Amino acid sequence: MTRADFMLRLRRGLAGLPLSAQDEILGDYETHFADALAAGRSEAEVAAALGDPGRLARELRLEAGLKRWEEDRNPSSAAAAIMALVGLGAIDILILLPLLTGVVSAIAGLYVAAIAVFISGGGILVAGPFFDPPGGPLFAVLLGLGLMGASVTGAALLTIITIWLVNGLVWFGRLHYRLIKPAIQPEPSYSERGLS
């Protein structure tokens, strides 16, 4: 593979990252090629030593997604980290994806339930005193406030559980990436180690 082919495939794989991050990464690899060529290695040797540019791009996207989650914990960065992890293919999709789908569906359903309880609590709070409820108007007001408070508490707990889930996936991705990284990086040659 030539330098141009490698850089083109790497650029395509980095699509979606901020342009400044893409330029920095591509600049680093251009420098790597230039240094290796100055040391007498061919473009094909350098490209072979670097490995598959598509795989390399997925690893770099994973690292960028994980950094984004660590810096800015919001739903968008959580989704980016999870998608980068899945894009790397570092986890067994046949086992983890159905489990993750079930957990995410349950959490989403509980969020919808919390919103429904909040809305019904608001309805009881506002309309309850006017319809002569069984416990009286004060009971309706307190019941409405109680339902709204319970739904807010439930949503807060779900948010904490969601953050723990994303942190667990990020931890798993980093651990898995560290375990597979030696297998995907070629062993340096004797000349690169300074041995003859």
Side-chain angles (χ1 to χ4, degrees):
M1 176 181 309
T2 67
R3 176 184 194 168
D5 292 337
F6 183 92
M7 296 304 292
L8 180 63
R9 288 184 58 196
L10 183 61
R11 181 180 297 279
R12 285 183 186 153
L14 295 175
L17 286 179
L19 290 178
S20 60
Q22 288 182 36
D23 291 341
E24 182 180 340
I25 291 168
L26 293 169
D28 288 345
Y29 282 95
E30 285 288 352
T31 302
H32 188 74
F33 268 101
D35 292 346
L37 291 173
R41 296 178 64 196
S42 71
E43 287 183 355
E45 289 175 328
V46 176
L50 291 173
D52 177 39
R55 172 79 183 191
L56 183 61
R58 288 191 300 274
E59 292 168 4
L60 292 166
R61 290 175 65 86
L62 171 63
E63 195 60 38
L66 297 179
K67 272 186 194 173
R68 182 175 169 206
W69 165 250
E70 290 170 351
E71 293 170 359
D72 187 23
R73 294 179 185 257
N74 61 37
S76 172
S77 62
I82 291 170
M83 292 310 295
L85 182 63
V86 171
L88 180 63
I91 54 180
D92 189 358
I93 299 299
L94 297 175
I95 294 172
L96 190 58
L97 192 58
L99 176 67
L100 190 59
T101 302
V103 170
V104 168
S105 298
I107 289 174
L110 289 172
Y111 270 117
V112 169
I115 292 169
V117 169
F118 185 85
I119 291 171
S120 64
I124 292 171
L125 175 69
V126 171
F130 300 109
F131 290 106
D132 193 30
L138 182 61
F139 177 76
V141 169
L142 293 176
L143 178 63
L145 287 173
L147 287 173
M148 292 173 73
S151 67
V152 169
T153 302
L157 290 173
L158 282 173
T159 301
I160 291 170
I161 291 169
T162 303
I163 290 170
W164 285 348
L165 177 66
V166 172
N167 284 339
L169 287 171
V170 167
W171 172 83
F172 181 79
R174 285 195 186 279
L175 175 68
H176 197 77
Y177 177 67
R178 275 188 232 125
L179 293 175
I180 65 169
K181 191 173 183 180
I184 59 176
Q185 288 183 336
E187 188 72 25
S189 68
Y190 286 111
S191 62
E192 289 174 331
R193 289 188 222 156
L195 303 172
S196 299

